[in-house]
Amino acid sequence: MQRLDVAVVGAGVIGLAVALELRGRGFSVVVADKGEPAKEASWAAGGMLAVDDPENPAELWPLSAWSRELYPEFLARVEDLSDLRIPLRTHRCLQGAHEGESSLEALQLVNELGLKGDGYAWTLQTEGSLDPRDLGAALRAACDRNGIAVKTMCAVEAITRELDGWKLATSQGEIAAARVVLCTGSWSGPRQLPVFPRKGQMMAVEMEAPLDTVVRTPEIYLIPRGGNRLVIGATIEDAGYDKTVHAADIAALKMRAEKLFPPVAAARVVETWAGLRPGSPDGLPLIGALEEGLYAAMGHYRNGIQLVAATARALGLEVAGEALPQIMTAYAANRTF
Ligand SMILES: Cc1cc2nc3c(=O)[nH]c(=O)nc-3n(C[C@H](O)[C@H](O)[C@H](O)COP(=O)(O)OP(=O)(O)OC[C@H]3O[C@@H](n4cnc5c(N)ncnc54)[C@H](O)[C@@H]3O)c2cc1C
């Protein structure tokens, strides 16, 4: 059996980006996914690069800030390697909060856009958003074009240590690799790691006129997706691995959106879906070594699209035996909960 340098388990944006980073450092890499690549949380996400969302845990900020710094270079590299575009759909966000003070420029924009903003303190943030389906498709293509085998419908059922690495028992036979990186999102995977799913139902509507700004409050967010399309999200539910979309929940989301942005009332619903955010006990991702030759990058909860650049870089440094930034200790995969 051919033994590769690294086997990545899970082909969401995290697994695909980690695979690319490691390939770029000269490792031979295989990726195995139990389904299709980037079709779980990474397909369902809103795509906000929400570094300064006040709903994020404060401890997440150093990682978010590092990822923001790496993001332009990350996107350019994926575009270059895939020959596909991942356009930023928006460049600013109106953030509504229950506490604090509104800024003048934010209030002006609230009025200009026709939002019913009473009851919130509004600030204007410089923040991008992208369509995660663009990112997933480009990451997949970049892997395909750069010698990374992406095995689909290949569930990894167990991993065992061998003398010179690891043996993975999969639904398609065995894989041998010197190192393994677990990127299984909200699935605890072959090592039963402490992650769990938090369901989010979402919808897309077709507006009569486009919006050019993400609008986000603790209750609802509106994300322009190009043309007149607007994504509205999202519920946060503990429903196990169930991804059923309920008409009543979608109707409630739409009502909330209409209250904030009345033109939504006339909009046509064009798509509804649900996805599973990878939760963790302290709300922070698990990134780095579990034991010698075994690593994890999972549990990115509401921010995996934003955190992908720093996560991939951190795994690259760690697997190559290079020093990690000090901030990464807060996200160590082998921390105790
Ligand atoms: C409704 C919603 C809105 C969101 N909005 C945003 C947002 O605006 N901004 C943002 O940054 N993030 C957002 N997120 C979060 C983001 O989607 C996730 O944090 C990110 O996609 C996680 O990526 P991942 O690759 O770890 O997980 P996933 O995309 O879930 O990928 C994990 C993969 O592992 C595979 N897998 C699992 N177990 C096995 C196994 N045993 N063997 C083989 N393969 C396995 C799965 O099939 C899956 O393909 C949102 C998520 C949801 C659900």
Side-chain angles (χ1 to χ4, degrees), residues 9-14 32-35 40-42 44-48 154-156 183-185 187 200 202 221 275-278 300-306:
V9 183
V13 294
I14 299 292
D33 198 286
K34 65 180 178 57
E40 288 291 349
S42 301
M48 296 175 286
C154 182
V156 176
C183 301
T184 48
W187 287 267
M202 305 259 274
Y221 51 70
L276 305 172
R277 304 175 187 89
H300 290 75
Y301 194 40
R302 302 174 70 207
N303 290 289
I305 305 299
Q306 198 276 320

Side-chain angles (χ1 to χ4, degrees), residues 1 3 159-168 174-178:
M1 194 187 336
R3 196 185 74 139
I159 53 170
T160 39
R161 191 181 274 286
E162 302 273 275
L163 266 183
D164 54 353
W166 297 88
K167 187 172 74 185
L168 289 75
E174 288 181 354
I175 296 174

Side-chain angles (χ1 to χ4, degrees), residues 56-331:
N56 292 344
E59 299 81 3
L60 191 64
W61 197 84
L63 183 62
S64 302
W66 187 35
S67 209
R68 174 167 59 190
E69 200 182 306
L70 296 174
Y71 224 89
E73 184 198 322
F74 166 76
L75 279 188
R77 193 169 128 73
V78 178
E79 288 189 333
D80 189 39
L81 292 175
S82 66
D83 213 11
L84 292 172
R85 291 268 301 120
I86 314 162
L88 284 185
R89 305 285 177 155
T90 56
H91 299 271
R92 60 184 183 177
C93 167
L94 261 178
Q95 174 74 57
H98 293 306
E99 288 174 0
E101 292 200 3
S102 296
S103 75
L104 196 57
E105 58 169 357
L107 282 181
Q108 272 167 354
L109 189 58
V110 164
N111 286 334
E112 217 175 275
L113 297 178
L115 296 168
K116 296 277 175 230
D118 294 352
Y120 294 108
W122 291 99
T123 49
L124 187 58
Q125 301 177 354
T126 303
E127 168 189 308
S129 76
L130 51 76
D131 185 339
R133 298 172 194 180
D134 292 341
L135 178 61
L139 280 168
R140 168 72 200 267
C143 287
D144 287 346
R145 290 164 59 115
N146 288 277
I148 299 169
V150 180
K151 291 176 176 282
T152 62
M153 313 309 283
C154 182
V156 176
E157 286 144 7
I159 53 170
T160 39
R161 191 181 274 286
E162 302 273 275
L163 266 183
D164 54 353
W166 297 88
K167 187 172 74 185
L168 289 75
T170 85
S171 54
Q172 291 182 22
E174 288 181 354
I175 296 174
R179 304 166 189 83
V180 175
V181 188
L182 302 173
C183 301
T184 48
S186 58
W187 287 267
S188 56
R191 276 300 159 109
Q192 299 299 308
L193 292 170
V195 290
F196 51 86
R198 300 207 78 192
K199 178 178 175 182
Q201 298 183 56
M202 305 259 274
M203 68 200 292
V205 298
E206 202 67 29
M207 303 288 293
E208 273 170 12
L211 188 69
D212 66 354
T213 307
V214 166
V215 181
R216 184 172 58 231
T217 73
E219 286 73 36
I220 194 91
Y221 51 70
L222 314 174
I223 311 170
R225 268 289 167 79
N228 288 2
R229 189 164 283 221
L230 191 65
V231 168
I232 299 172
T235 63
I236 299 184
E237 304 165 58
D238 292 309
Y241 291 92
D242 169 54
K243 289 191 288 181
T244 311
V245 176
H246 298 284
D249 295 329
I250 294 296
L253 272 181
K254 188 158 185 285
M255 285 249 297
R256 232 175 287 154
E258 285 171 26
K259 220 172 123 198
L260 180 64
F261 187 42
V264 170
R268 190 169 56 92
V269 178
V270 289
E271 192 184 346
T272 60
W273 67 93
L276 305 172
R277 304 175 187 89
S280 74
D282 58 6
L284 302 176
L286 287 71
I287 302 172
L290 291 163
E291 56 184 271
E292 174 136 25
L294 180 63
Y295 308 84
M298 56 211 290
H300 290 75
Y301 194 40
R302 302 174 70 207
N303 290 289
I305 305 299
Q306 198 276 320
L307 297 173
V308 63
T311 301
R313 177 61 56 82
L315 255 295
L317 292 170
E318 179 120 36
V319 173
E322 291 176 32
L324 285 177
Q326 183 60 31
I327 59 157
M328 293 309 295
T329 51
Y331 319 107

